[in-house]
Amino acid sequence: MADPVMRMGLIGFQSDSHLCTLLSNRKGLVAWERGPFTEADALWVNGEHAQLVRPGIVRIPSYEQGRPATVLSLKDVDRPIAFTLPLPSPNIQPQYLFNPASPEGVAAIFDNFEGWLRPLATELSIARSLAQRRYQLTSAVYHLQLQGQLVGVIDLNGDVGLHPNLTPRDAAAAEWGGRPPAAHAIPEHFARTPISQIMWQYVMRTGEDLLPERYRHATIYFRGAPRVDQRLVRDTHMLCLSMLAAAPQTLPELLEHTGLSERELVQALAALYLGGSITTHPGKTAWEPRAHSKAARTESNPDSVLTPSLFDSEAAASAAPLASGPQARAHALTAPAPLEMRRRSS
């Protein structure tokens, strides 16, 4: 199974070919690629031309014509950040410093960054497994075990809990066992994340099409704000939400009104679906057409807006269970939006 991919933002470099080579050649806990600054998991900053604006505030000039300088408040950066040497002032005190010409220094920075990002990388590994198993998930809860030890609890209607020492490769190697809904309790020392957020992160990184087929021909309704950290919501998501909050639309209509490419739109809609923000069921939407407003109020259940049917009926009938035993198919096939995936065409 491929390693999770982390994105490195590069700020203020006139030439980035050497840095991109360092990223592509790294063999570690995760794979690395260059990513946009706003979407990056970590940052490398050109320290040579950094300018101290005031204590803790640094300005990094841009070499791209017409692009403004980047201003960073070092104490507010919420991701690992390293400045390249040399620094023009000892008063600039970033989190990490390194010499990109030093193999030892580069390796140390990668080790530090990957340690910081290990929880996210592990969650992405779990998300990939969920996507790959989507037609086999027949229980409400799954326990992950590694060498007989419980290392993860996946509640398909709630949160994912992972052992704090779990790595992405351990997560990929863990054995999945179906459990009844009552087995959803997550040990206190496990790291807990909403399953909607884990799958949102995954869909925004993968080239896989995870939008259910019905969203390509049915009317799409606004349901509510996405149940993920606000920092994960991009302009494409906000654009779609704005359009759908005004009125329900079909995918072709959204293509016309947003100006997004089909790939951009499908990815954005898949994330919003995973985050519980959109639906094709009028009775589960916050937007109420006059003709259906009474029915919508009657059918709407704010406590279950993330639990549509897990499978389409044909996919459910042909799915092979992951776990044997009476509990394997004993529970209703409902789960968070992340796991209702598109059927392959026959």
Side-chain angles (χ1 to χ4, degrees):
M1 181 176 289
D3 292 327
V5 177
M6 297 289 107
R7 295 165 173 162
M8 184 74 74
L10 305 178
I11 303 176
F13 295 98
Q14 186 171 15
S15 173
D16 57 20
S17 58
H18 175 63
L19 299 175
C20 289
T21 299
L22 294 177
L23 294 173
S24 61
N25 288 344
R26 171 64 174 176
K27 307 298 181 185
L29 183 69
V30 300
W32 286 93
E33 66 181 16
R34 181 178 182 178
F37 164 68
T38 55
E39 302 168 13
D41 303 299
L43 301 172
W44 280 348
V45 180
N46 185 351
E48 184 177 6
H49 300 292
Q51 303 164 358
L52 186 66
V53 178
R54 58 180 181 272
I57 308 295
V58 181
R59 179 180 183 273
I60 298 90
S62 173
Y63 284 97
E64 298 181 35
Q65 187 175 3
R67 185 181 182 87
T70 300
V71 178
L72 297 173
S73 173
L74 298 181
K75 67 180 180 64
D76 294 327
V77 175
D78 62 351
R79 64 198 91 175
I81 179 172
F83 281 56
T84 59
L85 291 167
L87 286 178
S89 168
N91 294 324
I92 299 176
Q93 299 179 341
Q95 193 172 36
Y96 297 105
L97 286 168
F98 76 109
N99 179 357
S102 166
E104 296 79 9
V106 171
I109 286 297
F110 274 126
D111 288 342
N112 283 318
F113 280 20
E114 289 170 11
W116 180 308
L117 295 167
R118 178 172 54 80
L120 171 59
T122 304
E123 290 175 356
L124 291 173
S125 180
I126 294 294
R128 184 192 294 116
S129 294
L130 284 165
Q132 291 175 339
R133 290 170 163 86
R134 58 190 179 270
Y135 297 131
Q136 299 172 298
L137 298 172
T138 56
S139 297
V141 174
Y142 284 88
H143 283 187
L144 277 57
Q145 292 193 324
L146 191 66
Q147 298 178 348
Q149 179 185 1
L150 180 68
V151 295
V153 177
I154 300 177
D155 180 357
L156 298 183
N157 292 313
D159 293 342
V160 173
L162 300 176
H163 192 284
N165 295 330
L166 194 66
T167 69
R169 292 169 190 173
D170 288 340
E175 296 181 359
W176 290 51
R179 299 290 188 270
H184 71 280
I186 296 174
E188 290 186 3
H189 66 288
F190 278 24
R192 180 191 293 261
T193 308
I195 195 170
S196 57
Q197 180 159 310
I198 287 177
M199 295 305 295
W200 177 293
Q201 291 262 48
Y202 178 72
V203 77
M204 293 308 297
R205 296 165 184 268
T206 181
E208 187 177 358
D209 183 351
L210 301 182
L211 185 68
E213 179 65 28
R214 67 177 183 273
Y215 280 81
R216 288 164 170 76
H217 54 77
T219 300
I220 303 170
Y221 298 87
F222 172 72
R223 172 181 274 180
R227 297 185 173 188
V228 299
D229 286 345
Q230 186 177 356
R231 63 184 178 81
L232 300 178
V233 181
R234 302 179 188 169
D235 289 344
T236 53
H237 304 132
M238 295 301 296
L239 179 59
C240 292
L241 289 175
S242 176
M243 294 290 178
L244 293 174
Q249 299 190 45
T250 63
L251 190 147
E253 289 171 337
L254 285 171
L255 277 172
E256 178 182 356
H257 296 157
T258 63
L260 298 174
S261 68
E262 184 171 359
R263 181 184 181 280
E264 289 174 323
L265 179 60
V266 167
Q267 185 183 51
L269 290 177
L272 292 171
Y273 168 72
L274 306 181
S277 289
I278 59 175
T279 181
T280 57
H281 303 290
K284 297 180 180 179
T285 177
W287 192 92
E288 300 182 14
R290 290 183 181 179
H292 300 92
S293 59
K294 182 177 180 180
R297 284 194 297 272
T298 301
E299 297 174 18
S300 178
N301 181 351
D303 295 327
S304 62
V305 293
L306 280 177
T307 57
S309 173
L310 174 58
F311 300 108
D312 291 326
S313 57
E314 294 177 21
S318 61
L322 274 174
S324 59
Q327 83 268 13
R329 291 185 179 274
H331 311 294
L333 298 180
T334 58
L339 302 175
E340 184 178 4
M341 301 303 181
R342 181 183 180 188
R343 292 200 308 272
R344 295 179 181 177
S345 57
S346 56

